[in-house]
Amino acid sequence: KQEVTQIPAALSVPEGENLVLNCSFTDSAIYNLQWFRQDPGKGLTSLLLIQSSQREQTSGRLNASLDKSSGRSTLYIAASQPGDSATYLCAVRYNFNKFYFGSGTKLNVKP
Amino acid sequence: DGGITQSPKYLFRKEGQNVTLSCEQNLNHDAMYWYRQDPGQGLRLIYYSQIVNDFQKGDIAEGYSVSREKKESFPLTVTSAQKNPTAFYLCASSIGSHRTEKLFFGSGTQLSVL
C-alpha cells in the first residue's frame, strides 16, 4: 500500500529563517510529486510539480527536490515571511490515476 | 477567470437526509476528483472521473454517489448511508498525463451534521 508521510506535523520559526519541509513515500515507482499550500478553510493551491525524471523545481523563494531512490522530497523555503504561514501538503502520483496525500506540515512564521 | 467553483461553502445535513455538493470547472479538464479531508489527515479519494459518463470508486466511496453528465460538472451526493459525513470536501480537476498530470482544487465545502 502506498503511504505518504510528512514530518513534522507542525513547525514554528522566526521570520527570515530558511526552512525545509519533508515528504517521504513508500513506493518509489512514482510519476510525479506535487507540493501544495492550504490556508485555513480553503482549497489547495499548487506550488510546484516535480516529474519523476527531474531532481528539482524552483519558483521564487521555493525549491522542491526529489530523490526517488530514497523515497523523499523536500520543500525548501528561503527567507520565510509571516505570509508563508499555512499548511503544506505533498501528493504523489502513481501509474493508476490516483494521487496519495501526506497529512501536511502546519507552518507558523512568527513576525 | 478559469477555475473550479464549489458550492455551497457550508452545508448542514439532518439525519437521514441526502445532500448534494456542487462542483463546476471551466478549465476544460477531462479528469475530475472528489476528496474528503478530516482534521489533521491527508486527503482521501472518494470518486474520480476521467471522461463524461464514466467514473470510478476511490478508497472511501461507501455512502457517496456521483454523476458526470457534462464535462464541466461533477456533483457529489452524500447519502444517508454515510454515517460520519462531517468533513471538508474538496473537488479537483487535472490536466496532463502521467508525469505531467497536475491537480487543481476548488475552495471546498464544509459539511456538518445537525
Side-chain angles (χ1 to χ4, degrees):
Chain A
K1 179 184 175 184
Q2 285 78 14
E3 292 186 2
V4 180
T5 305
Q6 292 186 249
I7 295 174
L11 181 64
S12 185
V13 301
E15 180 178 3
E17 191 165 297
N18 301 327
L19 59 100
V20 174
L21 306 180
N22 297 297
C23 173
S24 59
F25 43 94
T26 53
D27 185 344
S28 63
I30 73 171
Y31 272 68
N32 66 42
L33 186 146
Q34 199 168 351
W35 281 95
F36 295 90
R37 168 188 172 133
Q38 185 177 30
D39 293 290
K42 305 290 186 183
L44 279 65
T45 299
S46 180
L47 298 173
L48 289 164
L49 182 146
I50 309 179
Q51 298 179 35
S52 59
S53 57
Q54 298 173 328
R55 297 284 295 184
E56 65 178 58
Q57 284 289 318
T58 297
S59 175
R61 294 184 294 109
L62 305 179
N63 176 278
S65 68
L66 175 65
D67 184 343
K68 277 179 43 178
S69 61
S70 66
R72 288 191 61 195
S73 175
T74 61
L75 179 66
Y76 174 83
I77 302 177
S80 60
Q81 303 170 358
D84 294 330
S85 297
T87 297
Y88 291 80
L89 297 97
C90 63
V92 178
R93 188 194 186 280
Y94 291 99
N95 62 349
F96 34 84
N97 299 320
K98 288 186 180 180
F99 296 81
Y100 287 85
F101 286 80
S103 54
T105 294
K106 186 175 184 179
L107 174 65
N108 178 37
V109 180
K110 298 173 289 186
Chain B
D1 283 337
I4 302 172
T5 301
Q6 289 188 242
S7 62
K9 186 172 177 62
Y10 301 98
L11 186 58
F12 297 91
R13 192 191 88 167
K14 296 179 181 178
E15 191 171 340
Q17 184 182 42
N18 293 352
V19 292
T20 298
L21 285 61
S22 171
C23 178
E24 302 278 334
Q25 56 103 355
N26 60 5
L27 300 169
N28 199 33
H29 291 174
D30 286 316
M32 296 187 74
Y33 304 81
W34 274 105
Y35 290 93
R36 170 176 171 145
Q37 185 177 35
D38 293 281
Q41 297 188 30
L43 279 65
R44 292 183 290 168
L45 181 64
I46 305 173
Y47 270 97
Y48 67 100
S49 169
Q50 297 293 308
I51 56 173
V52 174
N53 292 323
D54 187 50
F55 48 83
Q56 283 77 43
K57 293 181 179 180
D59 300 315
I60 55 166
E62 186 174 351
Y64 300 96
S65 66
V66 294
S67 63
R68 186 86 186 276
E69 298 177 0
K70 299 186 300 181
K71 186 175 184 178
E72 302 79 18
S73 179
F74 191 40
L76 173 74
T77 297
V78 184
T79 74
S80 56
Q82 172 49 246
K83 298 306 180 186
N84 184 24
T86 296
F88 192 55
Y89 290 85
L90 288 158
C91 177
S93 66
S94 69
I95 190 168
S97 63
H98 302 298
R99 291 183 177 84
T100 64
E101 187 172 5
K102 184 176 180 180
L103 280 173
F104 297 81
F105 282 86
S107 57
T109 292
Q110 176 64 50
L111 175 61
S112 302
V113 177
L114 290 175

